[in-house]
Amino acid sequence: MNVALRSALDDAGMSPRKLAYRVGVSIKQVERWLADAELTPHARNREDAAQALGVDEEMLWPQVVKDRIKTGNDREIINSYPYRSACPSTVWTELIDSAETDIFLAGYTNYFFFTQVPAFADTLRRKVDSGCRVRFLLGDPEGEVTRQREVIEDVTLSVSTRIKITLGELEKLGPLDGLETRFSAAEDAVNHVSLSVFRFDREALVTPHLARLVGHDSPLLHLRRQGDGGMFDRFAEHAEELWSRAVPVAQ
């Protein structure tokens, strides 16, 4: 729990609902800030919350200070996890909720978003309606690399099945201006299946897939863009290159 934020609310005589109103976010988002002391909101939300409570944002989120003093090549690494599944679900939800211009999900199946992120389909619709561009880059469920990966993973819920579940969920949303889906080109499938890049405006979660492991058992990096040519840009450019050659999925 973020004890500092709770104390600041109490001192200001302010409820989480009122803070959410002052900052312009949902009450659920404020509740997530309270529940997870390691969760750092976006800069604009931190500033507005601190101003509303009459305190310094560093008091509420001390990790901000650590992030600001990084000067080496790792300064864009916000956090790292030995397993994707070790990344708190609140991190995913916060990044999705906060994205305003671009959500680019370049995992091979992207299946877990619909099973692990609460009300994900509704959130996608809301994001598209607000003008956010949403893209899904998927592996071809009928492709040779997909078949080979299924043999390697040897799990009940196969790669092609997970991709088809994602396609089914997207089909339920219907054609939406601003929502795009493509299959990676055959020549890019190996590169795609071995590295997942999930981008939310200036932040990204990146998973390099290890040997026989499925995505949730592979490591994950949380990146935040700090300047040109950094780690964020390198991974973002990789995903954009795959997207440039990908095949649009008929809707």
Side-chain angles (χ1 to χ4, degrees):
M1 182 177 180
N2 189 328
V3 177
L5 179 56
R6 170 56 67 187
S7 297
L9 282 167
D10 292 342
D11 291 344
M14 188 179 297
S15 68
R17 183 176 298 278
K18 186 173 181 180
L19 179 62
Y21 175 78
R22 293 280 297 274
V23 177
V25 298
S26 68
I27 177 63
K28 290 184 178 179
Q29 199 158 334
V30 173
E31 289 172 347
R32 286 194 290 271
W33 297 348
L34 285 165
D36 187 353
E38 295 185 1
L39 181 62
T40 304
H42 276 229
R44 184 188 66 254
N45 291 340
R46 293 197 310 267
E47 181 180 351
D48 290 346
Q51 184 175 2
L53 294 169
V55 298
D56 293 333
E57 64 179 83
E58 290 84 357
M59 187 193 88
L60 303 176
W61 294 286
Q63 182 63 39
V64 173
V65 177
K66 297 179 182 178
D67 292 344
R68 285 174 178 167
I69 63 175
K70 283 186 176 182
T71 58
N73 292 329
D74 68 340
R75 68 187 185 279
E76 294 193 331
I77 301 176
I78 304 305
N79 214 332
S80 61
Y81 305 90
Y83 308 94
R84 192 187 73 195
S85 55
C87 179
S89 60
T90 51
V91 172
W92 295 92
T93 305
E94 171 79 10
L95 290 175
I96 294 166
D97 284 347
S98 298
E100 296 181 346
T101 61
D102 198 1
I103 295 176
F104 185 10
L105 306 179
Y108 200 77
T109 73
N110 292 307
Y111 154 80
F112 71 95
F113 283 101
F114 292 96
T115 60
Q116 297 179 23
V117 177
F120 181 60
D122 292 337
T123 300
L124 286 184
R125 185 181 296 278
R126 187 175 71 252
K127 286 295 175 181
V128 171
D129 288 344
S130 70
C132 183
R133 185 187 187 190
V134 178
R135 291 179 288 169
F136 281 78
L137 180 63
L138 302 170
D140 183 349
E142 308 302 330
E144 177 62 19
V145 169
T146 298
R147 187 194 66 77
Q148 293 173 1
R149 187 66 191 179
E150 289 180 338
V151 174
I152 293 171
E153 290 187 1
D154 190 25
V155 295
T156 303
L157 195 62
S158 67
V159 177
S160 58
T161 298
R162 301 199 301 269
I163 295 172
K164 289 174 182 177
I165 289 174
T166 297
L167 291 171
E169 293 294 336
L170 292 174
E171 187 175 357
K172 291 177 187 176
L173 286 169
L176 295 175
D177 288 338
L179 175 62
E180 308 165 66
T181 307
R182 296 182 184 180
F183 291 143
S184 54
E187 63 268 26
D188 291 326
V190 171
N191 289 329
H192 187 191
V193 78
S194 62
L195 177 67
S196 294
V197 179
F198 309 103
R199 181 155 64 85
F200 313 90
D201 289 348
R202 296 172 64 86
E203 297 192 42
L205 297 170
V206 177
T207 297
H209 295 270
L210 303 182
R212 296 180 174 83
L213 300 181
V214 294
H216 65 263
D217 284 334
S218 293
L220 179 141
L221 295 175
H222 181 180
L223 306 176
R224 180 177 298 140
R225 191 177 190 276
Q226 301 291 351
D228 294 341
M231 291 186 68
F232 176 94
D233 281 357
R234 299 295 302 280
F235 285 115
E237 288 164 5
H238 165 84
E240 291 292 350
E241 184 174 345
L242 298 187
W243 179 261
S244 71
R245 291 190 291 267
V247 181
V249 176
Q251 295 186 351

